[in-house]
Amino acid sequence: MTDPDGLERLWTPYRMAYVRGVEEPVAGPPKPECPFCRITPDPATSVDDGLVVHRGSTCFAVLNLYPYNPGHLMVLPYRHVADLTDLDDDETDELTALTKEALRTIRGVSSPDAFNVGINLGSAAGGSLAAHLHQHVVPRWTGDANFMTVTGGTKTLPQLLESTRDLLMDAWGR
């Protein structure tokens, strides 16, 4: 059924908690407000690390919870900083090295035709979590914006996030 505006709706009520920045209460110590800060260098102390592909000493790679394409991940520092100029030299070097490794790994696993790699600095630039710097690595295939996306406004993803994470983790560093 269509509404008077002629658009069909795909309802995703589970995203409202994300939009509002609200989470279900969980027993135990409170989580950091920033979802990226919940991931620590040590998996034993990490609160949310189910999508982590690789941990470095100052930065890590994690799958995007709302990916544009399979393999869409982010490389970011553990430290909560907003701007590229806030990184120290070690963080800058590792952010670049992990981004290069992400490109090699995704190429080896998925053979994309191209990539979008970039950082949205500030909310006006499109950064939904602008307070914690993160660099997107998005694999692209010719024709990946098909009729579902263009006319239906719906992105189809052929692989579960956990399966994508397992593929990338297993191939990382080869």
Side-chain angles (χ1 to χ4, degrees):
M1 180 175 169
T2 58
D3 282 334
D5 62 6
L7 299 175
E8 291 189 38
R9 302 294 193 274
L10 176 64
W11 298 103
T12 56
Y14 61 89
R15 288 203 25 109
M16 188 48 74
Y18 171 78
V19 170
R20 288 187 180 147
V22 175
E23 291 195 32
E24 296 293 322
V26 177
K31 293 180 178 183
E33 205 170 301
C34 172
F36 297 142
C37 289
R38 296 178 194 156
I39 299 169
T40 65
D42 179 4
T45 62
S46 205
V47 178
D48 289 330
D49 68 339
L51 299 178
V52 173
V53 174
H54 178 80
R55 281 183 167 80
S57 59
T58 64
C59 296
F60 62 99
V62 63
L63 288 177
N64 190 316
L65 186 57
Y66 302 105
Y68 294 117
N69 278 332
H72 177 179
L73 59 76
M74 298 169 293
V75 178
L76 57 156
Y78 293 109
R79 199 162 58 93
H80 187 86
V81 297
D83 198 89
L84 193 59
T85 60
D86 295 332
L87 296 179
D88 64 30
D89 291 343
D90 289 339
E91 291 166 328
T92 301
D93 292 347
E94 191 165 37
L95 185 86
T96 301
L98 291 183
T99 300
K100 289 170 64 175
E101 187 61 32
L103 293 167
R104 282 190 286 270
T105 301
I106 296 168
R107 278 188 182 116
V109 168
S110 306
S111 302
D113 298 321
F115 286 91
N116 292 121
V117 176
I119 301 171
N120 299 319
L121 293 179
S123 57
S128 58
L129 293 166
H132 196 133
L133 174 81
H134 53 285
Q135 177 155 269
H136 292 267
V137 178
V138 184
R140 300 299 307 267
W141 291 268
T142 302
D144 64 13
N146 64 20
F147 77 97
M148 284 292 289
T149 309
V150 175
T151 63
T154 302
K155 185 68 181 179
T156 57
L157 295 162
Q159 190 172 56
L160 295 173
L161 284 172
E162 292 80 11
S163 299
T164 304
R165 182 210 50 224
D166 292 346
L167 281 170
L168 295 176
M169 281 180 70
D170 291 345
W172 195 274
R174 281 193 210 154

